[in-house]
Amino acid sequence: MMPEAAYIYSPEQLNYKFSEDHPFNQRRLSLTLDLLKELGALEQHQIFPARMATDQELLLIHEEEYIKAVKSASTGLVQSSYSSTFGIGTEDTPAFPNMHEAAAWLVGGTLAAVDMVFEQGYKHALNLGGGLHHGFRGKASGFCVYNDSSIAIEYMRRKYQARVLYVDTDAHHGDGVQWAFYNDPDVCTLSIHESGRFLFPGTGNVNERGHGEGNGYTFNIPLEAFTEDDSFLESYRKAFTEVVEYFKPDVIITQNGADAHYYDPLTHLCGTSKIFLEIPKLAHELAHKYCEGRWIAVGGGGYDIWRVVPRAWSAIWLEMSGQTDLFKQSLPDTWLKRWQKETDAVLPDSWYDKPDMYPPIPRKNEINLKNERTLNKALEPIFKKKTDNEKQNVLL
């Protein structure tokens, strides 16, 4: 019998590194892999290699001139116009040696995950090296050079004629994926993120709903800053459940940024580890209900690489592979001792954060009410369609 889940990883994915002090740190992948192995939750036969995406695959989304610029920057030839024209060489996305190859390995990991599901018979596949959702067709943005999720979605559409639902729970709006498919009725995007009022990239408003034939297939839930677990999860559950029933996809791809946590240094949400245990649980359930189990998950943001990301991303694999009983155990002493000496942050020994980890939020009720209104407004097209269908059924 074919196992349910495949874990995609190659050491080459660690080479996506802007600098020693850049917040995007792929050491997260090593911390997570090591935690899963110490738990006894990931065996070698469950790990499959990523690969380097070809130029033809990158061209599914990206423009040829942009790819040429990335390759040029990879060799140290960064022209002064690259930052304004291609977004390369900026403070957020500086050039680094072999940047093209490193970014293409992240894309190839997500494509390998796709093929494990569509060709090898696995129900689910996880590529934590992916999730670079800010990359545009002709421009790098927000730490993202190539947009692996957009390329994977186009790859699934062309190779497998799949209807794709993309669900993004990163604290930042999934702008690159949204704009890539804004006119496409066969790709539906749902992004639940902190409002762009104070946070990059500033987009992801409720009224961004798609254009042309794609109108009605883009959903955004911009949450208030300081949103806590209950309001976040209420928005996520209701939005995901309504959108998947409305769109009826062939496959679900989830972007699992881990930066909605209170500890994250770049965002302003107040999630705890609880949301990262619940997010994959619903994705797993809905993938089986609507897509015969087809679920591809990628990583994303997450800038507290010690206290948050390893637990959050391990939780995806434990859910995919049916090992959630391990949440009842403490994190392994061997893992804690090995990595504690690498950081000044005190590593948590539990999957669950303490309830008093941060002071009470003064505007909690107001924030929750605003989020509820935002959610209902975002889902208005679905509610309207339901009402219209009910009226039509009465007339018939």
Side-chain angles (χ1 to χ4, degrees):
M1 183 177 174
M2 184 65 72
E4 286 274 300
Y7 191 100
I8 309 296
Y9 173 76
S10 287
E12 289 86 351
Q13 295 179 308
L14 303 178
N15 296 334
Y16 191 83
K17 185 175 182 180
F18 295 104
S19 66
E20 288 296 333
D21 56 357
H22 194 284
F24 191 98
N25 189 337
Q26 288 294 62
R27 204 174 186 191
R28 310 173 297 173
L29 301 181
S30 301
L31 284 154
T32 304
L33 182 70
D34 194 44
L35 176 54
L36 288 170
K37 286 184 174 179
E38 287 295 341
L39 284 164
L42 180 62
E43 298 181 14
Q44 195 59 41
H45 69 86
Q46 296 173 299
I47 304 174
F48 297 87
R51 60 180 176 82
M52 186 174 162
T54 66
D55 284 6
Q56 286 303 311
E57 288 166 341
L58 299 177
L59 285 165
L60 289 172
I61 288 295
H62 295 291
E63 296 167 0
E64 188 171 4
E65 288 303 308
Y66 173 62
I67 296 171
K68 286 181 180 176
V70 175
K71 287 183 176 179
S72 176
S74 294
T75 63
L77 300 175
V78 185
Q79 299 179 17
S80 58
S81 62
Y82 277 13
S83 59
S84 58
T85 306
F86 300 117
I88 300 169
T90 63
E91 185 177 349
D92 278 356
T93 316
F96 62 92
N98 300 315
M99 183 169 68
H100 164 76
E101 290 80 1
W105 269 95
L106 302 186
V107 176
T110 303
L111 296 179
V114 168
D115 286 336
M116 292 304 293
V117 170
F118 280 91
E119 291 187 354
Q120 301 301 319
Y122 284 76
K123 297 289 187 187
H124 327 304
L126 174 63
N127 175 42
L128 292 171
L132 279 73
H133 59 172
H134 296 308
F136 292 96
R137 292 185 184 278
K139 197 168 188 176
S141 178
F143 315 157
C144 304
V145 176
Y146 296 137
N147 193 320
D148 61 287
S149 294
S150 291
I151 293 168
I153 291 169
E154 188 64 20
Y155 182 82
M156 285 189 277
R157 291 188 64 242
R158 296 195 190 191
K159 189 172 182 179
Y160 304 111
Q161 292 76 52
R163 189 172 162 84
V164 184
L165 172 60
Y166 171 83
V167 180
D168 188 321
T169 49
D170 195 287
H172 301 85
H173 175 225
D175 55 346
V177 181
Q178 171 178 298
W179 300 126
F181 300 100
Y182 207 57
N183 300 299
D184 192 333
D186 291 321
V187 177
C188 183
T189 64
L190 166 63
S191 181
I192 301 162
H193 49 266
E194 181 184 333
S195 161
R197 192 181 312 161
F198 304 113
L199 189 68
F200 174 90
T203 53
N205 294 316
V206 169
N207 58 6
E208 295 166 20
R209 298 189 184 278
H211 184 261
E213 291 185 0
N215 186 31
Y217 297 100
T218 296
F219 294 90
N220 284 295
I221 319 291
L223 301 174
E224 295 292 305
F226 307 108
T227 292
E228 297 176 273
D229 284 354
D230 290 346
S231 184
F232 185 106
L233 288 173
E234 180 185 356
S235 300
Y236 169 71
R237 288 180 182 129
K238 188 166 184 178
F240 197 169
T241 304
E242 292 285 352
V243 170
V244 73
E245 168 64 23
Y246 163 78
F247 185 65
K248 294 184 172 53
D250 297 314
V251 59
I252 296 170
I253 177 168
T254 60
Q255 196 270 17
N256 297 268
D259 48 3
H261 194 280
Y262 174 75
Y263 285 151
D264 195 273
L266 301 190
T267 68
H268 317 97
L269 298 177
C270 292
T272 73
S273 60
K274 177 183 175 182
I275 63 172
F276 301 114
L277 272 56
E278 293 295 324
I279 285 171
K281 184 177 178 181
L282 183 62
H284 194 183
E285 175 190 328
L286 296 178
H288 278 286
K289 184 174 180 180
Y290 290 93
C291 307
E292 300 176 343
R294 288 183 290 272
W295 171 30
I296 294 148
V298 296
Y303 308 100
D304 187 320
I305 70 165
W306 301 102
R307 296 176 294 181
V308 178
V309 180
R311 290 184 297 164
W313 284 0
S314 293
I316 306 168
W317 175 252
L318 297 182
E319 177 63 45
M320 269 190 176
S321 57
Q323 301 180 85
T324 52
D325 281 353
L326 290 170
F327 293 144
K328 298 173 185 173
Q329 300 181 15
S330 299
L331 271 62
D333 283 342
T334 46
W335 184 85
L336 292 167
K337 288 176 180 174
R338 183 177 304 131
W339 294 104
Q340 184 60 77
K341 54 191 174 188
E342 302 279 336
T343 176
D344 293 332
V346 178
L347 298 182
D349 61 3
S350 169
W351 292 96
Y352 296 92
D353 291 318
K354 294 177 181 176
D356 59 350
M357 66 182 295
Y358 59 83
I361 303 299
R363 296 172 46 243
K364 178 173 183 170
N365 291 337
E366 180 186 346
I367 290 168
N368 291 350
L369 184 58
K370 285 188 174 181
N371 287 341
E372 186 178 341
R373 288 173 179 163
T374 298
L375 175 66
N376 287 328
K377 187 175 181 182
L379 298 177
E380 270 178 6
I382 296 177
F383 298 150
K384 184 177 183 307
K385 185 177 180 182
K386 281 184 177 180
T387 303
D388 291 345
N389 287 343
E390 287 170 1
K391 288 179 180 176
Q392 193 170 19
N393 289 336
V394 170
L395 292 173
L396 291 174

